[in-house]
Amino acid sequence: MTALPLTAASVSLRAAQTQELPSAASPLVIGVGLAYFAVVIAIAVWAGRRTRTRDDFFLAGKGIGLVALTLAAMASTFSGFTFIGGPGLLFSVGLGAMFFVLPASVTNGFTVWVVAKRLRLLAEVRPVFSIPGVIGLRFGSRAAQGWAGAAVLAGIIGYMATNVLALGLVLDALFGVGLGWGIWIGTTVVLLYSSTGGIIAGIYTDVFQGTIMAVASVLVFLYALDSGGGLANISTTLLVADPDFVSPWGLFTPVAALSLYLLFSIGVVGQPHVMHKFFMIRDPRHLKWYPMLVTVAMAMVILLMFGVGLAYKALVVTGQAPAPTPADNAAPLFLLQHTPRLLAAVVFSGIAAAMMSTVDAFLNVGAAAITHDLPTALGRPVTNELRAGRIATVGLALAAGLVAQTSGSLVALLGIAGYGLLAAALVPALAIGLNWPEATRAGAIASIATGLISSLVLGFLTRGGEAAMLPIDQGINVMAITLTLSLGVFLAVSAVTRGGTMEELDEDVRLALEL
Amino acid sequence: MRSSLGISALVTGLLIITAAYVAVLLPGPAPTWPAWGVAAGTCLLLFGFLDLGARRRAGRPAAVRLIFAGTALWVALGFIGILWSTTPELDTPFFLGLPLPAAWMIWVLGVGPALFLPIAWAALFRTATLADDALAQLHEAKRRTDDRRAEGRTDEPPS
């Protein structure tokens, strides 16, 4: 087996779109793109009129239904990775890339059973609207809330800047406006709907975007199979060319692939931009059908990554298509060459939309951290959180745009750390803390600090490729290591400390954690 | 510290995964067992988290624990199948368009749990997750807490 020692960093660099895409600009593509943006802006205007309070801005007034929750969670989870980075990664390393998305079969059931109900019930008895706020409430600790808020900010800033940069590249490919203008047009559109309409705008643009993502992905998948004469023909072509490519691990080592499974199956609970949506559902009983619906929606979107990654590789192997340079161009090239132009236009707009929905969700949780969690931790609560939320949203968006435009490699480095940092910092305090009565305040603070600091340090030292200061053998995802470390710290510290257990909570909060 | 099955599974899983990572990171040629260790540890973590998550004051139905054990075993079966598999060759049988090891990965690991975990959640929602009177209980508890706060008595520790 010719397994490549791909590091987490190099994988994530492939996952993050940081290089120019092939131009798709044509009257039809531009027209579809403009129509798309018009719908998004119309939703923003509508949502802006409905956003009157802090709860509207951060919690959509706790009034969203099951379908909206499903599509918004799916759209926020997948970002542009499934459309560009995913197919490109699969093109590069073979079926092992599926370990990024295979956990989707488990994560939705896992999420509802482990945290979703608890989060929603806590929102029923207390005015919580952020994940750090929940951690502060559970452990009766402003320090835990502050550490969690800091982790959220550290995790999202690079993640967001990476998505803004990718958005700029996609808009450049769509409209031919250049990267700089692409970044700022994308930032402005996201800013428009997220600062005026808050999370209401975010949720309902996600509904629109998520629907298109799911339907378009299935169509593209069918075109992908057709382009290669069916899945069996594609597999046979690839099997002849490179048997490892169609082995379960692809070109990953087994340990590397399994580390991805570990990180992405359990780490989802630590993603605040997805978890905070559970506060917003109108009736907690709607959660009954959520995992089933969101799993179906995710499966539809994953088809694009799977189909295009395999099909385009077969087309290249048989000389029917040019090799994409870089590999992330596999999906855009396939769309331009092998699907009807209208579908390509819709998918290109969908890619931009997916990135915008992720940025919007990050802006919302980041604004909550700045205006609520950190001031609360410092004992200086903000009086007008709606106004402060809008200002923080503008500030964060501008910061992300500036970082994206001015520091390319730093963006990628920060983006690499994002998902894993959030997982390592927040999973223990949420997934164990909300469910284990004996989890302690000191355990929560220690694990959040461990996850935050170890992710930043190891993420920096292993920043990929030849520049790595600390090469990790066999491509183990360094963020799987930091997640393991923070979980261990949480359990060990909770075992030897007291204070912050569930016994000390108010009756209603404790009941929310025990129902 | 009172032990529970969920916490025991988490601790065991973490120890196994840690040992696997240490074995890989030590100087010298990496052994092959760490992949099995990460796979086994991941399954234990999944079971441990799910078992903790289903904890309720009223206790959890036995069916829930069986479902979680079944999920972890199913995922383990998926891992075992691909860990045992060899690189496919031209005479490797196909299943639904993919060489058998790849098909095993997609269908057993990628599709299987999606078919029963969400369905089990929906089927057991009333009995194992949120009973009909749960929200009423919660609102009543909140009212009592608010009353105590109004009287200046609170159970919540100072932050």
Side-chain angles (χ1 to χ4, degrees), chain A residues 105 117-118 124 235 435 474 504 506-507 514, chain B residues 30 55 57 97 109 121 129 139 144 155-156:
Chain A
S105 66
K117 182 186 76 174
R118 309 275 189 231
E124 194 74 15
S235 297
N435 296 302
Q474 294 214 15
E504 300 169 19
D506 275 349
E507 180 193 357
E514 292 185 335
Chain B
R55 184 194 65 84
R57 187 176 284 182
L109 270 182
W121 163 265
T129 303
H139 293 148
R144 284 194 298 271
D155 305 331
E156 208 164 73

mmCIF file with all atom_site columns, all heavy atoms in Angstrom, chain A residues 105 117-118 124 235 435 474 504 506-507 514, chain B residues 30 55 57 97 109 121 129 139 144 155-156:
data_model
loop_
_atom_site.group_PDB
_atom_site.id
_atom_site.type_symbol
_atom_site.label_atom_id
_atom_site.label_alt_id
_atom_site.label_comp_id
_atom_site.label_asym_id
_atom_site.label_entity_id
_atom_site.label_seq_id
_atom_site.pdbx_PDB_ins_code
_atom_site.Cartn_x
_atom_site.Cartn_y
_atom_site.Cartn_z
_atom_site.occupancy
_atom_site.B_iso_or_equiv
_atom_site.pdbx_formal_charge
_atom_site.auth_seq_id
_atom_site.auth_comp_id
_atom_site.auth_asym_id
_atom_site.auth_atom_id
_atom_site.pdbx_PDB_model_num
ATOM 1   N N   . SER A 1 105 ? -23.221 9.644  9.247   1.00 0.00 ? 105 SER A N   1
ATOM 2   C CA  . SER A 1 105 ? -24.240 8.630  9.541   1.00 0.00 ? 105 SER A CA  1
ATOM 3   C C   . SER A 1 105 ? -24.463 8.485  11.040  1.00 0.00 ? 105 SER A C   1
ATOM 4   O O   . SER A 1 105 ? -25.498 7.996  11.472  1.00 0.00 ? 105 SER A O   1
ATOM 5   C CB  . SER A 1 105 ? -23.839 7.286  8.937   1.00 0.00 ? 105 SER A CB  1
ATOM 6   O OG  . SER A 1 105 ? -22.668 6.790  9.578   1.00 0.00 ? 105 SER A OG  1
ATOM 7   N N   . LYS A 1 117 ? -31.113 17.991 23.091  1.00 0.00 ? 117 LYS A N   1
ATOM 8   C CA  . LYS A 1 117 ? -32.258 18.149 23.998  1.00 0.00 ? 117 LYS A CA  1
ATOM 9   C C   . LYS A 1 117 ? -31.867 19.002 25.207  1.00 0.00 ? 117 LYS A C   1
ATOM 10  O O   . LYS A 1 117 ? -32.617 19.887 25.627  1.00 0.00 ? 117 LYS A O   1
ATOM 11  C CB  . LYS A 1 117 ? -32.746 16.781 24.461  1.00 0.00 ? 117 LYS A CB  1
ATOM 12  C CG  . LYS A 1 117 ? -33.961 16.868 25.369  1.00 0.00 ? 117 LYS A CG  1
ATOM 13  C CD  . LYS A 1 117 ? -34.353 15.532 25.948  1.00 0.00 ? 117 LYS A CD  1
ATOM 14  C CE  . LYS A 1 117 ? -33.427 15.120 27.071  1.00 0.00 ? 117 LYS A CE  1
ATOM 15  N NZ  . LYS A 1 117 ? -33.852 13.889 27.763  1.00 0.00 ? 117 LYS A NZ  1
ATOM 16  N N   . ARG A 1 118 ? -30.694 18.741 25.759  1.00 0.00 ? 118 ARG A N   1
ATOM 17  C CA  . ARG A 1 118 ? -30.258 19.504 26.943  1.00 0.00 ? 118 ARG A CA  1
ATOM 18  C C   . ARG A 1 118 ? -30.164 20.999 26.611  1.00 0.00 ? 118 ARG A C   1
ATOM 19  O O   . ARG A 1 118 ? -30.587 21.847 27.395  1.00 0.00 ? 118 ARG A O   1
ATOM 20  C CB  . ARG A 1 118 ? -28.889 19.018 27.412  1.00 0.00 ? 118 ARG A CB  1
ATOM 21  C CG  . ARG A 1 118 ? -28.764 17.526 27.603  1.00 0.00 ? 118 ARG A CG  1
ATOM 22  C CD  . ARG A 1 118 ? -29.243 17.090 28.970  1.00 0.00 ? 118 ARG A CD  1
ATOM 23  N NE  . ARG A 1 118 ? -28.932 15.701 29.229  1.00 0.00 ? 118 ARG A NE  1
ATOM 24  C CZ  . ARG A 1 118 ? -29.813 14.805 29.655  1.00 0.00 ? 118 ARG A CZ  1
ATOM 25  N NH1 . ARG A 1 118 ? -31.068 15.145 29.867  1.00 0.00 ? 118 ARG A NH1 1
ATOM 26  N NH2 . ARG A 1 118 ? -29.451 13.555 29.872  1.00 0.00 ? 118 ARG A NH2 1
ATOM 27  N N   . GLU A 1 124 ? -35.160 26.794 27.646  1.00 0.00 ? 124 GLU A N   1
ATOM 28  C CA  . GLU A 1 124 ? -36.549 26.900 28.104  1.00 0.00 ? 124 GLU A CA  1
ATOM 29  C C   . GLU A 1 124 ? -36.627 27.564 29.482  1.00 0.00 ? 124 GLU A C   1
ATOM 30  O O   . GLU A 1 124 ? -37.605 28.230 29.800  1.00 0.00 ? 124 GLU A O   1
ATOM 31  C CB  . GLU A 1 124 ? -37.154 25.489 28.169  1.00 0.00 ? 124 GLU A CB  1
ATOM 32  C CG  . GLU A 1 124 ? -38.653 25.420 28.309  1.00 0.00 ? 124 GLU A CG  1
ATOM 33  C CD  . GLU A 1 124 ? -39.377 25.768 27.018  1.00 0.00 ? 124 GLU A CD  1
ATOM 34  O OE1 . GLU A 1 124 ? -38.740 25.793 25.957  1.00 0.00 ? 124 GLU A OE1 1
ATOM 35  O OE2 . GLU A 1 124 ? -40.584 26.049 27.090  1.00 0.00 ? 124 GLU A OE2 1
ATOM 36  N N   . SER A 1 235 ? -15.328 2.736  -11.218 1.00 0.00 ? 235 SER A N   1
ATOM 37  C CA  . SER A 1 235 ? -14.507 1.974  -10.265 1.00 0.00 ? 235 SER A CA  1
ATOM 38  C C   . SER A 1 235 ? -13.499 1.096  -10.991 1.00 0.00 ? 235 SER A C   1
ATOM 39  O O   . SER A 1 235 ? -12.336 0.995  -10.586 1.00 0.00 ? 235 SER A O   1
ATOM 40  C CB  . SER A 1 235 ? -15.397 1.101  -9.382  1.00 0.00 ? 235 SER A CB  1
ATOM 41  O OG  . SER A 1 235 ? -16.247 1.887  -8.609  1.00 0.00 ? 235 SER A OG  1
ATOM 42  N N   . ASN A 1 435 ? -24.045 16.010 30.872  1.00 0.00 ? 435 ASN A N   1
ATOM 43  C CA  . ASN A 1 435 ? -24.640 14.689 31.122  1.00 0.00 ? 435 ASN A CA  1
ATOM 44  C C   . ASN A 1 435 ? -24.098 13.956 32.342  1.00 0.00 ? 435 ASN A C   1
ATOM 45  O O   . ASN A 1 435 ? -24.712 13.015 32.815  1.00 0.00 ? 435 ASN A O   1
ATOM 46  C CB  . ASN A 1 435 ? -24.428 13.800 29.887  1.00 0.00 ? 435 ASN A CB  1
ATOM 47  C CG  . ASN A 1 435 ? -25.145 14.329 28.672  1.00 0.00 ? 435 ASN A CG  1
ATOM 48  O OD1 . ASN A 1 435 ? -26.357 14.489 28.697  1.00 0.00 ? 435 ASN A OD1 1
ATOM 49  N ND2 . ASN A 1 435 ? -24.407 14.647 27.617  1.00 0.00 ? 435 ASN A ND2 1
ATOM 50  N N   . GLN A 1 474 ? 2.634   9.200  10.185  1.00 0.00 ? 474 GLN A N   1
ATOM 51  C CA  . GLN A 1 474 ? 1.470   8.476  9.680   1.00 0.00 ? 474 GLN A CA  1
ATOM 52  C C   . GLN A 1 474 ? 0.251   9.371  9.482   1.00 0.00 ? 474 GLN A C   1
ATOM 53  O O   . GLN A 1 474 ? -0.873  8.887  9.405   1.00 0.00 ? 474 GLN A O   1
ATOM 54  C CB  . GLN A 1 474 ? 1.101   7.326  10.623  1.00 0.00 ? 474 GLN A CB  1
ATOM 55  C CG  . GLN A 1 474 ? 2.179   6.269  10.644  1.00 0.00 ? 474 GLN A CG  1
ATOM 56  C CD  . GLN A 1 474 ? 1.590   4.884  10.821  1.00 0.00 ? 474 GLN A CD  1
ATOM 57  O OE1 . GLN A 1 474 ? 0.394   4.658  10.658  1.00 0.00 ? 474 GLN A OE1 1
ATOM 58  N NE2 . GLN A 1 474 ? 2.434   3.915  11.109  1.00 0.00 ? 474 GLN A NE2 1
ATOM 59  N N   . GLU A 1 504 ? -25.274 21.196 42.768  1.00 0.00 ? 504 GLU A N   1
ATOM 60  C CA  . GLU A 1 504 ? -25.257 22.587 43.228  1.00 0.00 ? 504 GLU A CA  1
ATOM 61  C C   . GLU A 1 504 ? -26.151 23.500 42.390  1.00 0.00 ? 504 GLU A C   1
ATOM 62  O O   . GLU A 1 504 ? -26.277 24.678 42.689  1.00 0.00 ? 504 GLU A O   1
ATOM 63  C CB  . GLU A 1 504 ? -23.813 23.113 43.192  1.00 0.00 ? 504 GLU A CB  1
ATOM 64  C CG  . GLU A 1 504 ? -22.871 22.317 44.073  1.00 0.00 ? 504 GLU A CG  1
ATOM 65  C CD  . GLU A 1 504 ? -21.415 22.675 43.817  1.00 0.00 ? 504 GLU A CD  1
ATOM 66  O OE1 . GLU A 1 504 ? -21.157 23.740 43.244  1.00 0.00 ? 504 GLU A OE1 1
ATOM 67  O OE2 . GLU A 1 504 ? -20.547 21.872 44.175  1.00 0.00 ? 504 GLU A OE2 1
ATOM 68  N N   . ASP A 1 506 ? -29.483 25.194 40.457  1.00 0.00 ? 506 ASP A N   1
ATOM 69  C CA  . ASP A 1 506 ? -30.885 25.474 40.755  1.00 0.00 ? 506 ASP A CA  1
ATOM 70  C C   . ASP A 1 506 ? -31.748 24.324 40.257  1.00 0.00 ? 506 ASP A C   1
ATOM 71  O O   . ASP A 1 506 ? -31.405 23.644 39.282  1.00 0.00 ? 506 ASP A O   1
ATOM 72  C CB  . ASP A 1 506 ? -31.311 26.771 40.054  1.00 0.00 ? 506 ASP A CB  1
ATOM 73  C CG  . ASP A 1 506 ? -30.960 27.998 40.875  1.00 0.00 ? 506 ASP A CG  1
ATOM 74  O OD1 . ASP A 1 506 ? -30.598 27.827 42.049  1.00 0.00 ? 506 ASP A OD1 1
ATOM 75  O OD2 . ASP A 1 506 ? -31.040 29.112 40.329  1.00 0.00 ? 506 ASP A OD2 1
ATOM 76  N N   . GLU A 1 507 ? -32.913 24.180 40.895  1.00 0.00 ? 507 GLU A N   1
ATOM 77  C CA  . GLU A 1 507 ? -33.776 23.041 40.592  1.00 0.00 ? 507 GLU A CA  1
ATOM 78  C C   . GLU A 1 507 ? -34.148 22.962 39.110  1.00 0.00 ? 507 GLU A C   1
ATOM 79  O O   . GLU A 1 507 ? -34.106 21.896 38.499  1.00 0.00 ? 507 GLU A O   1
ATOM 80  C CB  . GLU A 1 507 ? -35.049 23.146 41.439  1.00 0.00 ? 507 GLU A CB  1
ATOM 81  C CG  . GLU A 1 507 ? -36.011 21.995 41.204  1.00 0.00 ? 507 GLU A CG  1
ATOM 82  C CD  . GLU A 1 507 ? -37.386 22.268 41.793  1.00 0.00 ? 507 GLU A CD  1
ATOM 83  O OE1 . GLU A 1 507 ? -37.568 23.330 42.431  1.00 0.00 ? 507 GLU A OE1 1
ATOM 84  O OE2 . GLU A 1 507 ? -38.278 21.422 41.585  1.00 0.00 ? 507 GLU A OE2 1
ATOM 85  N N   . GLU A 1 514 ? -31.655 16.649 33.539  1.00 0.00 ? 514 GLU A N   1
ATOM 86  C CA  . GLU A 1 514 ? -31.967 15.281 33.969  1.00 0.00 ? 514 GLU A CA  1
ATOM 87  C C   . GLU A 1 514 ? -33.252 14.739 33.380  1.00 0.00 ? 514 GLU A C   1
ATOM 88  O O   . GLU A 1 514 ? -33.600 13.588 33.615  1.00 0.00 ? 514 GLU A O   1
ATOM 89  C CB  . GLU A 1 514 ? -32.047 15.240 35.504  1.00 0.00 ? 514 GLU A CB  1
ATOM 90  C CG  . GLU A 1 514 ? -30.683 15.463 36.160  1.00 0.00 ? 514 GLU A CG  1
ATOM 91  C CD  . GLU A 1 514 ? -30.731 15.305 37.664  1.00 0.00 ? 514 GLU A CD  1
ATOM 92  O OE1 . GLU A 1 514 ? -31.809 15.499 38.260  1.00 0.00 ? 514 GLU A OE1 1
ATOM 93  O OE2 . GLU A 1 514 ? -29.681 14.984 38.241  1.00 0.00 ? 514 GLU A OE2 1
ATOM 94  N N   . ALA B 2 30  ? 6.456   2.199  12.828  1.00 0.00 ? 30  ALA B N   1
ATOM 95  C CA  . ALA B 2 30  ? 5.181   2.167  13.550  1.00 0.00 ? 30  ALA B CA  1
ATOM 96  C C   . ALA B 2 30  ? 4.577   0.769  13.470  1.00 0.00 ? 30  ALA B C   1
ATOM 97  O O   . ALA B 2 30  ? 4.556   0.166  12.402  1.00 0.00 ? 30  ALA B O   1
ATOM 98  C CB  . ALA B 2 30  ? 4.231   3.183  12.942  1.00 0.00 ? 30  ALA B CB  1
ATOM 99  N N   . ARG B 2 55  ? -28.816 9.479  29.882  1.00 0.00 ? 55  ARG B N   1
ATOM 100 C CA  . ARG B 2 55  ? -29.076 9.440  31.332  1.00 0.00 ? 55  ARG B CA  1
ATOM 101 C C   . ARG B 2 55  ? -30.242 10.379 31.665  1.00 0.00 ? 55  ARG B C   1
ATOM 102 O O   . ARG B 2 55  ? -30.299 11.508 31.200  1.00 0.00 ? 55  ARG B O   1
ATOM 103 C CB  . ARG B 2 55  ? -27.816 9.922  32.060  1.00 0.00 ? 55  ARG B CB  1
ATOM 104 C CG  . ARG B 2 55  ? -27.875 9.854  33.565  1.00 0.00 ? 55  ARG B CG  1
ATOM 105 C CD  . ARG B 2 55  ? -26.739 10.662 34.144  1.00 0.00 ? 55  ARG B CD  1
ATOM 106 N NE  . ARG B 2 55  ? -26.875 12.086 33.834  1.00 0.00 ? 55  ARG B NE  1
ATOM 107 C CZ  . ARG B 2 55  ? -27.621 12.945 34.529  1.00 0.00 ? 55  ARG B CZ  1
ATOM 108 N NH1 . ARG B 2 55  ? -28.271 12.522 35.583  1.00 0.00 ? 55  ARG B NH1 1
ATOM 109 N NH2 . ARG B 2 55  ? -27.711 14.208 34.175  1.00 0.00 ? 55  ARG B NH2 1
ATOM 110 N N   . ARG B 2 57  ? -33.275 11.328 34.959  1.00 0.00 ? 57  ARG B N   1
ATOM 111 C CA  . ARG B 2 57  ? -33.652 11.128 36.356  1.00 0.00 ? 57  ARG B CA  1
ATOM 112 C C   . ARG B 2 57  ? -34.525 9.876  36.480  1.00 0.00 ? 57  ARG B C   1
ATOM 113 O O   . ARG B 2 57  ? -34.410 9.120  37.439  1.00 0.00 ? 57  ARG B O   1
ATOM 114 C CB  . ARG B 2 57  ? -34.417 12.354 36.854  1.00 0.00 ? 57  ARG B CB  1
ATOM 115 C CG  . ARG B 2 57  ? -34.708 12.319 38.311  1.00 0.00 ? 57  ARG B CG  1
ATOM 116 C CD  . ARG B 2 57  ? -35.387 13.603 38.739  1.00 0.00 ? 57  ARG B CD  1
ATOM 117 N NE  . ARG B 2 57  ? -34.458 14.731 38.839  1.00 0.00 ? 57  ARG B NE  1
ATOM 118 C CZ  . ARG B 2 57  ? -34.814 15.952 39.240  1.00 0.00 ? 57  ARG B CZ  1
ATOM 119 N NH1 . ARG B 2 57  ? -36.058 16.204 39.561  1.00 0.00 ? 57  ARG B NH1 1
ATOM 120 N NH2 . ARG B 2 57  ? -33.923 16.926 39.310  1.00 0.00 ? 57  ARG B NH2 1
ATOM 121 N N   . GLY B 2 97  ? -21.500 -1.350 -7.619  1.00 0.00 ? 97  GLY B N   1
ATOM 122 C CA  . GLY B 2 97  ? -20.602 -0.475 -8.375  1.00 0.00 ? 97  GLY B CA  1
ATOM 123 C C   . GLY B 2 97  ? -19.267 -0.191 -7.727  1.00 0.00 ? 97  GLY B C   1
ATOM 124 O O   . GLY B 2 97  ? -18.445 0.525  -8.295  1.00 0.00 ? 97  GLY B O   1
ATOM 125 N N   . LEU B 2 109 ? -20.266 1.532  7.185   1.00 0.00 ? 109 LEU B N   1
ATOM 126 C CA  . LEU B 2 109 ? -19.902 2.679  8.038   1.00 0.00 ? 109 LEU B CA  1
ATOM 127 C C   . LEU B 2 109 ? -20.701 3.935  7.683   1.00 0.00 ? 109 LEU B C   1
ATOM 128 O O   . LEU B 2 109 ? -21.120 4.679  8.564   1.00 0.00 ? 109 LEU B O   1
ATOM 129 C CB  . LEU B 2 109 ? -18.418 3.007  7.860   1.00 0.00 ? 109 LEU B CB  1
ATOM 130 C CG  . LEU B 2 109 ? -17.409 2.323  8.785   1.00 0.00 ? 109 LEU B CG  1
ATOM 131 C CD1 . LEU B 2 109 ? -16.004 2.825  8.464   1.00 0.00 ? 109 LEU B CD1 1
ATOM 132 C CD2 . LEU B 2 109 ? -17.737 2.556  10.239  1.00 0.00 ? 109 LEU B CD2 1
ATOM 133 N N   . TRP B 2 121 ? -34.115 6.945  17.732  1.00 0.00 ? 121 TRP B N   1
ATOM 134 C CA  . TRP B 2 121 ? -34.369 8.194  18.458  1.00 0.00 ? 121 TRP B CA  1
ATOM 135 C C   . TRP B 2 121 ? -35.844 8.589  18.338  1.00 0.00 ? 121 TRP B C   1
ATOM 136 O O   . TRP B 2 121 ? -36.494 8.920  19.335  1.00 0.00 ? 121 TRP B O   1
ATOM 137 C CB  . TRP B 2 121 ? -33.462 9.291  17.902  1.00 0.00 ? 121 TRP B CB  1
ATOM 138 C CG  . TRP B 2 121 ? -33.850 10.696 18.248  1.00 0.00 ? 121 TRP B CG  1
ATOM 139 C CD1 . TRP B 2 121 ? -34.598 11.544 17.482  1.00 0.00 ? 121 TRP B CD1 1
ATOM 140 C CD2 . TRP B 2 121 ? -33.520 11.438 19.429  1.00 0.00 ? 121 TRP B CD2 1
ATOM 141 N NE1 . TRP B 2 121 ? -34.738 12.764 18.108  1.00 0.00 ? 121 TRP B NE1 1
ATOM 142 C CE2 . TRP B 2 121 ? -34.080 12.720 19.311  1.00 0.00 ? 121 TRP B CE2 1
ATOM 143 C CE3 . TRP B 2 121 ? -32.797 11.138 20.581  1.00 0.00 ? 121 TRP B CE3 1
ATOM 144 C CZ2 . TRP B 2 121 ? -33.955 13.703 20.279  1.00 0.00 ? 121 TRP B CZ2 1
ATOM 145 C CZ3 . TRP B 2 121 ? -32.656 12.129 21.562  1.00 0.00 ? 121 TRP B CZ3 1
ATOM 146 C CH2 . TRP B 2 121 ? -33.231 13.381 21.401  1.00 0.00 ? 121 TRP B CH2 1
ATOM 147 N N   . THR B 2 129 ? -36.730 9.937  25.845  1.00 0.00 ? 129 THR B N   1
ATOM 148 C CA  . THR B 2 129 ? -36.145 11.266 25.636  1.00 0.00 ? 129 THR B CA  1
ATOM 149 C C   . THR B 2 129 ? -36.962 12.379 26.277  1.00 0.00 ? 129 THR B C   1
ATOM 150 O O   . THR B 2 129 ? -36.492 13.065 27.178  1.00 0.00 ? 129 THR B O   1
ATOM 151 C CB  . THR B 2 129 ? -35.987 11.542 24.129  1.00 0.00 ? 129 THR B CB  1
ATOM 152 O OG1 . THR B 2 129 ? -35.194 10.511 23.568  1.00 0.00 ? 129 THR B OG1 1
ATOM 153 C CG2 . THR B 2 129 ? -35.291 12.865 23.899  1.00 0.00 ? 129 THR B CG2 1
ATOM 154 N N   . HIS B 2 139 ? -41.422 23.676 33.493  1.00 0.00 ? 139 HIS B N   1
ATOM 155 C CA  . HIS B 2 139 ? -41.983 25.004 33.749  1.00 0.00 ? 139 HIS B CA  1
ATOM 156 C C   . HIS B 2 139 ? -42.332 25.168 35.231  1.00 0.00 ? 139 HIS B C   1
ATOM 157 O O   . HIS B 2 139 ? -42.154 26.239 35.812  1.00 0.00 ? 139 HIS B O   1
ATOM 158 C CB  . HIS B 2 139 ? -43.207 25.229 32.865  1.00 0.00 ? 139 HIS B CB  1
ATOM 159 C CG  . HIS B 2 139 ? -42.858 25.316 31.410  1.00 0.00 ? 139 HIS B CG  1
ATOM 160 N ND1 . HIS B 2 139 ? -43.688 24.886 30.409  1.00 0.00 ? 139 HIS B ND1 1
ATOM 161 C CD2 . HIS B 2 139 ? -41.730 25.745 30.791  1.00 0.00 ? 139 HIS B CD2 1
ATOM 162 C CE1 . HIS B 2 139 ? -43.101 25.077 29.228  1.00 0.00 ? 139 HIS B CE1 1
ATOM 163 N NE2 . HIS B 2 139 ? -41.910 25.594 29.440  1.00 0.00 ? 139 HIS B NE2 1
ATOM 164 N N   . ARG B 2 144 ? -40.922 27.487 40.597  1.00 0.00 ? 144 ARG B N   1
ATOM 165 C CA  . ARG B 2 144 ? -40.470 27.361 41.998  1.00 0.00 ? 144 ARG B CA  1
ATOM 166 C C   . ARG B 2 144 ? -39.114 28.060 42.195  1.00 0.00 ? 144 ARG B C   1
ATOM 167 O O   . ARG B 2 144 ? -38.880 28.729 43.198  1.00 0.00 ? 144 ARG B O   1
ATOM 168 C CB  . ARG B 2 144 ? -40.357 25.883 42.390  1.00 0.00 ? 144 ARG B CB  1
ATOM 169 C CG  . ARG B 2 144 ? -41.715 25.209 42.646  1.00 0.00 ? 144 ARG B CG  1
ATOM 170 C CD  . ARG B 2 144 ? -41.524 23.874 43.360  1.00 0.00 ? 144 ARG B CD  1
ATOM 171 N NE  . ARG B 2 144 ? -40.757 22.911 42.596  1.00 0.00 ? 144 ARG B NE  1
ATOM 172 C CZ  . ARG B 2 144 ? -41.287 22.052 41.731  1.00 0.00 ? 144 ARG B CZ  1
ATOM 173 N NH1 . ARG B 2 144 ? -42.596 22.026 41.528  1.00 0.00 ? 144 ARG B NH1 1
ATOM 174 N NH2 . ARG B 2 144 ? -40.525 21.206 41.074  1.00 0.00 ? 144 ARG B NH2 1
ATOM 175 N N   . ASP B 2 155 ? -30.315 28.250 44.974  1.00 0.00 ? 155 ASP B N   1
ATOM 176 C CA  . ASP B 2 155 ? -29.409 27.109 45.116  1.00 0.00 ? 155 ASP B CA  1
ATOM 177 C C   . ASP B 2 155 ? -28.125 27.326 44.336  1.00 0.00 ? 155 ASP B C   1
ATOM 178 O O   . ASP B 2 155 ? -27.174 26.589 44.469  1.00 0.00 ? 155 ASP B O   1
ATOM 179 C CB  . ASP B 2 155 ? -30.074 25.832 44.573  1.00 0.00 ? 155 ASP B CB  1
ATOM 180 C CG  . ASP B 2 155 ? -31.415 25.593 45.238  1.00 0.00 ? 155 ASP B CG  1
ATOM 181 O OD1 . ASP B 2 155 ? -31.568 26.008 46.399  1.00 0.00 ? 155 ASP B OD1 1
ATOM 182 O OD2 . ASP B 2 155 ? -32.302 25.001 44.590  1.00 0.00 ? 155 ASP B OD2 1
ATOM 183 N N   . GLU B 2 156 ? -28.146 28.315 43.436  1.00 0.00 ? 156 GLU B N   1
ATOM 184 C CA  . GLU B 2 156 ? -27.017 28.446 42.518  1.00 0.00 ? 156 GLU B CA  1
ATOM 185 C C   . GLU B 2 156 ? -25.810 29.066 43.220  1.00 0.00 ? 156 GLU B C   1
ATOM 186 O O   . GLU B 2 156 ? -25.955 30.063 43.939  1.00 0.00 ? 156 GLU B O   1
ATOM 187 C CB  . GLU B 2 156 ? -27.412 29.326 41.339  1.00 0.00 ? 156 GLU B CB  1
ATOM 188 C CG  . GLU B 2 156 ? -26.643 29.005 40.083  1.00 0.00 ? 156 GLU B CG  1
ATOM 189 C CD  . GLU B 2 156 ? -27.321 29.618 38.865  1.00 0.00 ? 156 GLU B CD  1
ATOM 190 O OE1 . GLU B 2 156 ? -27.247 30.842 38.721  1.00 0.00 ? 156 GLU B OE1 1
ATOM 191 O OE2 . GLU B 2 156 ? -27.902 28.867 38.080  1.00 0.00 ? 156 GLU B OE2 1
#
